[in-house]
Amino acid sequence: MAFPTAGVIGAGVAVGGLAAFWVGRAWVERRQRSRVMADGVPVVGWLVQANATLFHPGGEDAPAQLLICFDAPGGEGLGELAAEVGRLKSEPPATEVERVVAALVRDETYRPGVRLRLPDEFTGGREVYAADVWVERRLLPEGRLTDRQLACLAIPGVEGRVYLEPPARG
């Protein structure tokens, strides 16, 4: 009779451990978000690709891939570059550099906190990063994506979360 009791205790320990893991992750996420909201700089992220549901009213929050550049916080010149990256999602790359960028845009895995620097040969030497962002609909003016530019906050450097900038309170 010890076996059923041990199984119940083992299951309880496993569930408790899983709950502690999720609570810990939520705590880390809140802490990261608070730091970026307090110390992050405004940057305009140019949309490369997003979950299709974000373009329609209603639905869940979902990820998107953006280009950001700390040397051009207003996003100057990133629109054309974002369009070129997006083009490589479906068109064959013509060069080795385009092959590297195409691999980046074709991999749709959501990687929060990871920034991938685009090759200088592709960006003309500018320090441009592809970054994943979790799009919260409540932060979008119409509750859905209507523009390719998104106001974001991020801490300069090669890694770290990028968050949509909350609208100014009026």
Side-chain angles (χ1 to χ4, degrees):
M1 286 295 172
F3 292 110
T5 303
V8 169
I9 291 171
V13 169
V15 169
L18 187 58
F21 170 76
W22 284 111
V23 167
R25 272 184 69 164
W27 181 81
V28 168
E29 172 62 22
R30 281 193 307 273
R31 190 174 167 127
Q32 287 175 342
R33 184 181 191 89
S34 293
R35 181 171 176 253
V36 172
M37 292 297 141
D39 301 331
V41 297
V43 291
V44 171
W46 272 87
L47 187 64
V48 172
Q49 62 181 339
N51 187 298
T53 63
L54 291 171
F55 293 96
H56 306 287
E60 300 293 320
D61 299 341
Q65 184 180 52
L66 307 174
L67 295 186
I68 61 170
C69 179
F70 293 103
D71 295 335
E76 299 84 9
L78 292 183
E80 297 81 17
L81 204 54
E84 279 299 301
V85 174
R87 176 185 63 79
L88 291 171
K89 183 169 178 76
S90 58
E91 291 183 18
T95 66
E96 180 60 25
V97 171
E98 284 189 354
R99 189 189 63 72
V100 169
V101 175
L104 182 150
V105 74
R106 290 176 182 168
D107 180 356
E108 295 181 353
T109 306
Y110 173 60
R111 293 183 180 91
V114 175
R115 295 182 197 158
L116 300 172
R117 185 169 176 181
L118 298 181
D120 286 348
E121 300 84 0
F122 189 80
T123 65
R126 296 178 67 195
E127 193 171 328
V128 177
Y129 296 93
D132 291 348
V133 63
W134 190 257
V135 178
E136 298 174 72
R137 288 176 176 278
R138 67 181 178 82
L139 299 176
L140 298 173
E142 296 181 33
R144 64 184 179 90
L145 289 174
T146 58
D147 196 349
R148 294 189 57 220
Q149 299 177 61
L150 297 170
C152 300
L153 290 171
I155 295 176
V158 297
E159 60 183 42
R161 295 272 188 143
V162 177
Y163 293 100
L164 293 186
E165 187 172 15
R169 295 183 180 188

